[in-house]
Amino acid sequence: MANLDGHLVDIGKVAIVGTGLLGGSIGLALRQANFAGRIVGVGHRQQTLDLARNRGCIDEGFTAWGPAMDGCGLVILAAPLGAFAQILQELAPYDHPDLILTDVGSTKQLVCEDVYRLLPRAMAQRFVGSHPMAGKELHGPEHARADLFQDATCVITAQPDTNPDARAVVEGLWRTLGMRLIDMTPAEHDRNVARISHLPHALAVLLVELAAQQGGLEVAATGFRDTTRVASGDPRIWADIFTTNRAAVMQVIDTFRGELDQFRELLAKSDPQAMQALLQQAKDHRDAWLRYRSDCNS
Amino acid sequence: MANLDGHLVDIGKVAIVGTGLLGGSIGLALRQANFAGRIVGVGHRQQTLDLARNRGCIDEGFTAWGPAMDGCGLVILAAPLGAFAQILQELAPYDHPDLILTDVGSTKQLVCEDVYRLLPRAMAQRFVGSHPMAGKELHGPEHARADLFQDATCVITAQPDTNPDARAVVEGLWRTLGMRLIDMTPAEHDRNVARISHLPHALAVLLVELAAQQGGLEVAATGFRDTTRVASGDPRIWADIFTTNRAAVMQVIDTFRGELDQFRELLAKSDPQAMQALLQQAKDHRDAWLRYRSDCNS
């Protein structure tokens, strides 16, 4: 676990909006890094807030903004993407010149547009879009872990006019959680995650449905378990992700269909050497990526 | 680890053709189950045979059939599928009325056709096609494990005229290794594995290539790692699998393209409720499958 980043020392109170797996894990990690300020949770469901408090993710949970935002220096949106627009509108009245905001949303273009559309400009400039690329197919604060973000990557999608102090605090937050930072524009981010997360998720869902409807599950083994693991993810969260990134996902599906057609042609040609060359190339690319990941963390 | 099945007691010598991950693991498992007969390996590369012997997978390794087949009661083909036709032709002269044969090939229709095409009929009737559904993306005897097959499924593709005694011995072999048995015709088997193994493998390969060529690997995380794990598999083995099961894989690709088109339409409609319903259905199907697997092994 990394040490508390200096930019977080004077933040005062942190409000985590949505205390599920991600929000809960942020609270646990901040506490483990000896963050001295108060950590509060905001949410609709008292039961989730109570669970998060009992697990030590937050000091206190609120279903109303007033007491949660009182003295708050940093707001972290960790609610489902579909709730963001309403949350931003509800947050606007609680702005003050030192308030800094960030989020953990899995898509960024729509979020960043909503921020500038729904918040006063000065407040929008203190919102630093983030996507900490960590998680698992489980959800809820009962699965929160202080090391969930350790050694993972966080994409920062700052805008040209993003407040530099706000950015330093938000970067300090993710560094405190042990993350590597990468800068991207919201559009770049959304195209990249469409390729390495949203398309793989869609394919996993369709693979499960194909086997469930046409047969084969009785002999499915560890390969199927791993290639489809993400299909056990939270349907609500993923419906939001697909809905908020539909243009990029549709585009990447079109590209992928072309790849699948080419693969089918290769099969039709029955050319084992060409097939082996493609499989070798993919293996080399994947093994190189595994080494890159391992180097990042050593 | 299961006990030695009674049908294996009087087998005498077992010859494992191909002492890689699967062949080597069979040898280790038989020895751990106190199989009393000799276990020999047959292969082209002395180095692999030596490694298998040093790891205790086999008692002795041969690059020639004569000494390996002398007194042999059970032959297990664990070589790459592409080598099967030649191996069957080379084995034919060593037949005797008590010789039993099986294989671990990942596709079954072509293998079973080759068996009846290339072996004398009485010998072909003592060949019991098998597909032990276990493995990992590593290969070679250095990764062999006695428990590789434990609690996994083995598909038996016997023919109407398969010798019942031969079948009892081969079923006893896989039971000794801790496997569950499922009967299928070779064609049924090949269609099922196209859906739950070969298509997922192809998609994993194409996902890796898409990200490698268009970008995103720098932010790819555990979801990508798991959905593409199988793409690190042995290119030679998988080229053989795709080549020997091309008709079934092409057919399942055509079906899957239809599913992908429907998913794209759902995205285009921007209907979060319908999307969430599809994702929930896939989650329910997958979670039910995980429970089925867990029930099988408890």
Side-chain angles (χ1 to χ4, degrees):
Chain A
M1 180 59 63
N3 293 322
L4 188 71
D5 185 277
H7 294 95
L8 293 184
V9 172
D10 297 325
I11 279 300
K13 187 161 98 179
V14 169
I16 300 173
V17 185
T19 54
L21 173 69
L22 297 181
S25 295
I26 293 172
L28 282 181
L30 276 176
R31 200 48 91 209
Q32 202 172 93
N34 296 315
F35 175 70
R38 209 161 163 70
I39 303 174
V40 302
V42 189
H44 284 301
R45 299 176 61 222
Q46 191 63 47
Q47 201 192 349
T48 306
L49 292 167
D50 290 346
L51 199 52
R53 196 192 52 215
N54 293 340
R55 288 221 51 208
C57 304
I58 55 175
D59 299 319
E60 202 173 356
F62 298 101
T63 53
W65 291 109
M69 294 303 296
D70 186 35
C72 176
L74 174 62
V75 176
I76 304 167
L77 304 193
L81 279 169
F84 271 31
Q86 193 186 335
I87 291 171
L88 290 171
Q89 286 172 292
E90 291 177 6
L91 270 173
Y94 297 95
D95 192 35
H96 60 78
D98 294 323
L99 185 66
I100 293 167
L101 305 97
T102 187
D103 74 315
V104 304
S106 300
T107 68
K108 296 264 71 84
Q109 196 156 12
L110 198 65
V111 172
C112 292
E113 283 167 17
D114 278 353
V115 161
Y116 279 80
R117 186 168 60 88
L118 300 170
L119 298 184
R121 184 152 196 95
M123 188 181 185
Q125 289 171 341
R126 281 180 267 105
F127 182 101
V128 185
S130 305
H131 181 196
M133 314 255 326
K136 40 187 177 179
E137 71 275 27
L138 305 167
H139 54 101
E142 59 272 37
H143 299 292
R145 280 175 18 197
D147 66 351
L148 185 68
F149 301 96
Q150 187 68 42
D151 295 330
T153 302
C154 185
V155 179
I156 303 285
T157 58
Q159 302 285 346
D161 66 346
T162 295
N163 182 302
D165 295 337
R167 183 174 175 154
V169 167
V170 170
E171 291 184 350
L173 168 68
W174 303 122
R175 286 215 181 87
T176 296
L177 271 51
M179 305 198 83
R180 278 187 304 278
L181 304 183
I182 296 187
D183 292 324
M184 286 183 194
T185 67
E188 271 174 345
H189 168 274
D190 284 4
R191 283 194 300 268
N192 278 320
V193 292
R195 279 192 291 267
I196 56 92
S197 172
H198 307 173
L199 174 65
H201 196 100
L203 298 180
V205 164
L206 298 177
L207 280 173
V208 168
E209 287 305 286
L210 185 74
Q213 280 152 28
Q214 305 208 351
L217 285 179
E218 70 278 23
V219 291
T222 52
F224 187 81
R225 181 195 65 199
D226 291 348
T227 49
T228 65
R229 176 178 66 81
V230 294
S232 286
D234 187 328
R236 184 177 164 208
I237 289 174
W238 277 94
D240 278 355
I241 290 174
F242 284 120
T243 305
T244 56
N245 202 25
R246 50 194 281 270
V249 177
M250 284 164 69
Q251 201 168 14
V252 81
I253 284 178
D254 292 339
T255 308
F256 192 78
R257 279 183 44 152
E259 309 282 327
L260 194 56
D261 290 348
Q262 280 183 21
F263 185 86
R264 193 191 184 285
E265 275 173 43
L266 189 55
L267 278 174
K269 268 191 278 188
S270 198
D271 180 344
Q273 270 75 41
M275 177 61 79
Q276 191 173 331
L278 169 66
L279 301 178
Q280 185 68 54
Q281 185 177 307
K283 175 177 171 56
D284 291 345
H285 279 134
R286 185 171 186 278
D287 292 348
W289 170 69
L290 287 176
R291 284 193 299 275
Y292 160 81
R293 266 172 68 86
S294 153
D295 288 348
C296 286
N297 297 334
S298 65
Chain B
M1 179 62 60
N3 292 323
L4 187 72
D5 186 277
H7 294 97
L8 293 184
V9 172
D10 297 324
I11 279 298
K13 188 161 98 179
V14 169
I16 301 173
V17 184
T19 54
L21 173 69
L22 297 181
S25 296
I26 293 171
L28 283 179
L30 276 176
R31 199 49 89 208
Q32 201 171 95
N34 296 316
F35 174 68
R38 208 160 166 70
I39 303 174
V40 302
V42 188
H44 283 301
R45 299 176 61 223
Q46 190 63 47
Q47 202 191 351
T48 306
L49 292 167
D50 290 346
L51 199 53
R53 196 193 52 213
N54 292 341
R55 288 220 51 208
C57 304
I58 54 174
D59 299 318
E60 202 172 355
F62 297 101
T63 54
W65 291 109
M69 294 303 295
D70 186 36
C72 176
L74 174 62
V75 176
I76 304 166
L77 303 192
L81 279 168
F84 271 32
Q86 193 187 333
I87 291 171
L88 290 171
Q89 286 172 290
E90 291 176 4
L91 270 173
Y94 297 95
D95 191 35
H96 61 79
D98 294 324
L99 185 67
I100 293 167
L101 305 97
T102 187
D103 75 314
V104 304
S106 299
T107 68
K108 295 264 72 82
Q109 197 156 14
L110 198 66
V111 171
C112 292
E113 283 168 17
D114 278 352
V115 161
Y116 278 81
R117 187 168 59 85
L118 300 171
L119 298 183
R121 186 154 194 94
M123 188 180 183
Q125 289 170 342
R126 281 179 268 107
F127 183 102
V128 185
S130 304
H131 181 197
M133 313 255 326
K136 40 187 178 179
E137 71 276 26
L138 305 168
H139 53 100
E142 59 271 37
H143 300 293
R145 280 174 19 198
D147 66 351
L148 186 69
F149 302 96
Q150 187 68 42
D151 294 330
T153 301
C154 185
V155 179
I156 303 284
T157 58
Q159 303 284 346
D161 67 346
T162 295
N163 181 304
D165 295 336
R167 183 173 176 154
V169 167
V170 170
E171 291 184 350
L173 168 69
W174 304 121
R175 287 216 180 88
T176 296
L177 270 53
M179 305 198 82
R180 279 187 304 278
L181 304 184
I182 296 187
D183 292 324
M184 287 183 193
T185 68
E188 272 174 346
H189 168 274
D190 284 4
R191 283 194 301 266
N192 278 320
V193 292
R195 280 191 291 267
I196 56 90
S197 173
H198 307 173
L199 175 63
H201 196 101
L203 298 179
V205 164
L206 297 177
L207 281 173
V208 169
E209 286 305 287
L210 185 73
Q213 280 152 27
Q214 305 208 351
L217 286 179
E218 70 278 22
V219 291
T222 52
F224 187 81
R225 181 196 64 200
D226 291 348
T227 49
T228 65
R229 176 179 66 80
V230 293
S232 286
D234 186 328
R236 182 175 164 209
I237 289 174
W238 278 92
D240 278 354
I241 290 174
F242 284 121
T243 305
T244 56
N245 202 25
R246 49 195 283 268
V249 177
M250 284 165 68
Q251 201 168 14
V252 82
I253 285 178
D254 291 339
T255 308
F256 193 78
R257 280 183 43 152
E259 308 283 328
L260 194 57
D261 289 348
Q262 281 183 22
F263 185 86
R264 193 190 184 287
E265 275 174 43
L266 190 55
L267 278 174
K269 268 190 278 188
S270 199
D271 181 345
Q273 271 75 39
M275 178 62 79
Q276 191 173 331
L278 169 66
L279 301 178
Q280 185 68 54
Q281 186 176 307
K283 176 178 170 58
D284 291 345
H285 278 136
R286 185 172 185 279
D287 292 349
W289 172 69
L290 287 176
R291 284 193 299 274
Y292 159 81
R293 265 171 68 87
S294 152
D295 289 348
C296 285
N297 297 334
S298 65

